[in-house]
Amino acid sequence: MRAQIPERPGSPFPIEVAGIVTKGFGRGSRELGFPTANISPTDIPSQLDRVGVYFGYAMVRQEVFSMVMSLGYNPYYKNVEKSLEIYIVHEFKSDFYGESMRAIVCGWLRPELDYTTRDALIQDIRKDVTIALTALEQPAYAQFKEHPIFKR
Ligand code: ADP
Ligand code: RBF
Ligand code: MG
């Protein structure tokens, strides 16, 4: 089910995302233990035409962190509207709703899946984080932490 992560990012990556962090249903932190910073569906770049789970880097408050991203309809929750949500691998002391976020999407992890239990979804997100952090250690991916969109 999970695709092999290529040694270096290939087309269409890297893809830039930028927007203001908006409110969602509040389930990420409350139900899953993975808060996700959502951006408005209108800020979803057209190159991101495939729903699923991705990884890369995201910047908030001038600092760049590793991230995993979910794009789509969260089949486990049967959302009607498409969402783009980023879990940043960092413990923040406060929320950052209304603040700007920029990201570089470096690669694809897997399709969005439905699950029989919430625990199974949580386990898969944990695995996504581990795989993402390993991939981002490779120089071909790590270089995007210094991407020009984070300097503007
Ligand atoms: P919502 O449905 O409103 O997006 P979440 O439960 O997903 O609610 O929480 C997301 C919010 O939590 C983000 O908008 C951000 O302000 C905050 N937050 C705190 N820590 C993180 C983190 N590590 N990654 C992403 N968002 C975080
Ligand atoms: N939701 C799903 O319904 N199916 C998934 O496969 C799925 N994968 C996710 C992977 C990651 C890395 C993250 C951060 C979220 C994922 N979600 C998935 C979205 C999750 O349901 C959503 O973040 C919460 O509902 C809070 O909005
Ligand atoms: Mg969220």
Side-chain angles (χ1 to χ4, degrees), residues 13 15-17 35-37 48 53-60 63-71 84-90 92 96 101-107 109 125 128-136 145 149-150:
F13 304 105
I15 297 170
E16 305 182 14
V17 180
T36 57
L48 278 175
V53 183
Y54 297 83
F55 68 95
Y57 291 103
M59 181 173 82
V60 289
E63 233 190 302
V64 182
F65 306 98
S66 301
M67 65 80 168
V68 284
M69 183 183 96
S70 159
L71 174 69
L84 187 159
E85 317 171 26
I86 292 180
Y87 167 66
I88 296 178
V89 187
H90 180 74
F92 288 89
F96 42 92
M101 177 170 67
R102 287 180 201 164
I104 290 286
V105 184
C106 299
L109 289 169
I125 296 178
D128 294 329
V129 171
T130 304
I131 294 170
L133 291 179
T134 303
L136 292 170
K145 196 169 181 179
I149 73 148
F150 296 137

Side-chain angles (χ1 to χ4, degrees), residues 6-141:
E7 213 167 290
R8 52 193 61 260
S11 172
F13 304 105
I15 297 170
E16 305 182 14
V17 180
I20 302 294
V21 177
T22 57
K23 280 258 180 200
F25 299 110
R27 291 178 190 137
S29 31
R30 219 175 32 239
E31 295 190 20
L32 302 176
F34 290 97
T36 57
N38 298 37
I39 66 159
S40 164
T42 56
D43 288 329
I44 298 174
S46 56
Q47 307 107 279
L48 278 175
D49 55 2
R50 183 183 181 194
V51 295
V53 183
Y54 297 83
F55 68 95
Y57 291 103
M59 181 173 82
V60 289
R61 299 177 178 156
Q62 332 266 34
E63 233 190 302
V64 182
F65 306 98
S66 301
M67 65 80 168
V68 284
M69 183 183 96
S70 159
L71 174 69
Y73 300 90
N74 302 358
Y76 180 72
Y77 290 104
K78 303 186 169 50
N79 289 355
V80 174
E81 206 180 68
K82 198 190 234 183
S83 67
L84 187 159
E85 317 171 26
I86 292 180
Y87 167 66
I88 296 178
V89 187
H90 180 74
E91 290 265 343
F92 288 89
K93 292 197 174 70
S94 60
D95 287 347
F96 42 92
Y97 287 114
E99 298 185 36
S100 78
M101 177 170 67
R102 287 180 201 164
I104 290 286
V105 184
C106 299
W108 161 267
L109 289 169
R110 63 174 175 89
E112 286 194 286
L113 301 173
D114 198 353
Y115 294 87
T116 48
T117 66
R118 187 174 63 183
D119 243 35
L121 168 58
I122 293 170
Q123 288 305 333
D124 247 9
I125 296 178
R126 286 216 180 98
K127 206 177 289 177
D128 294 329
V129 171
T130 304
I131 294 170
L133 291 179
T134 303
L136 292 170
E137 277 172 15
Q138 301 177 51
Y141 291 96

